[in-house]
Amino acid sequence: MPQSTITSTTMLTGNMRTHTIFTGSTTSFITDVPQAIGGRGEYPPPASLLAASLSCCMLSMLAFVATKHGINTDGVSVLANVLEDSNGIQGFNLRITVPMQTTPEARAVMERAVRSCPVAKALSPSLEKHIVWSFAE
């Protein structure tokens, strides 16, 4: 059985707002319900944090694997968009931009690394994950 460790504590603070503090750290973040459904909309909604978490995981895996292959990944970025409708989150559009020239072999390593993202694998297979790569020429 996998071990369980408390990683964060989240509290409702009023006005449909949450405040999350990470265990063993002073790092925290706040979320709001979107204005479109009655929230204040001053902070990102949870769906945006999910897209950011997916992006962070993909880039972390890319950096981890690329480093083992001696591939420079500095400046690689992901532009994430949450696909939502009245039924909730339907998926994500992710544009990965690689600002430096790369070989076909390096591109293949990067693409494989992104597909190994544990966060993406933990999400429901019914959630679409559209990934578009933009490589410098």
Side-chain angles (χ1 to χ4, degrees):
M1 174 179 266
Q3 271 194 283
S4 175
T5 303
I6 296 172
T7 60
S8 62
T9 301
T10 302
M11 179 187 307
L12 283 167
T13 60
N15 297 312
M16 296 183 280
R17 179 170 282 171
T18 68
H19 182 219
T20 298
I21 300 172
F22 289 96
T23 304
S25 170
T26 59
T27 302
S28 68
F29 64 87
I30 296 170
T31 66
D32 275 340
V33 169
Q35 277 185 314
I37 59 172
R40 293 169 74 178
E42 295 172 351
Y43 293 94
S48 293
L49 292 181
L50 182 58
S53 180
L54 178 60
S55 298
C56 289
C57 182
M58 288 178 168
L59 287 183
S60 294
M61 293 308 299
L62 188 150
F64 175 74
V65 173
T67 297
K68 288 184 169 190
H69 288 86
I71 299 168
N72 176 26
T73 58
D74 292 348
V76 175
S77 63
V78 177
L79 180 63
N81 179 34
V82 180
L83 304 171
E84 292 183 275
D85 63 19
S86 60
N87 294 316
I89 299 170
Q90 302 303 307
F92 305 92
N93 284 331
L94 305 150
R95 175 176 292 280
I96 302 174
T97 300
V98 180
M100 70 288 285
Q101 291 188 346
T102 55
T103 65
E105 295 81 13
R107 290 179 184 193
V109 167
M110 290 180 185
E111 290 172 1
R112 259 193 325 274
V114 164
R115 286 192 303 271
S116 72
C117 167
V119 170
K121 290 179 179 182
L123 295 171
S124 171
S126 67
L127 289 177
E128 299 176 31
K129 296 163 208 78
H130 302 283
I131 300 173
V132 175
W133 288 84
S134 176
F135 290 97
E137 295 301 324

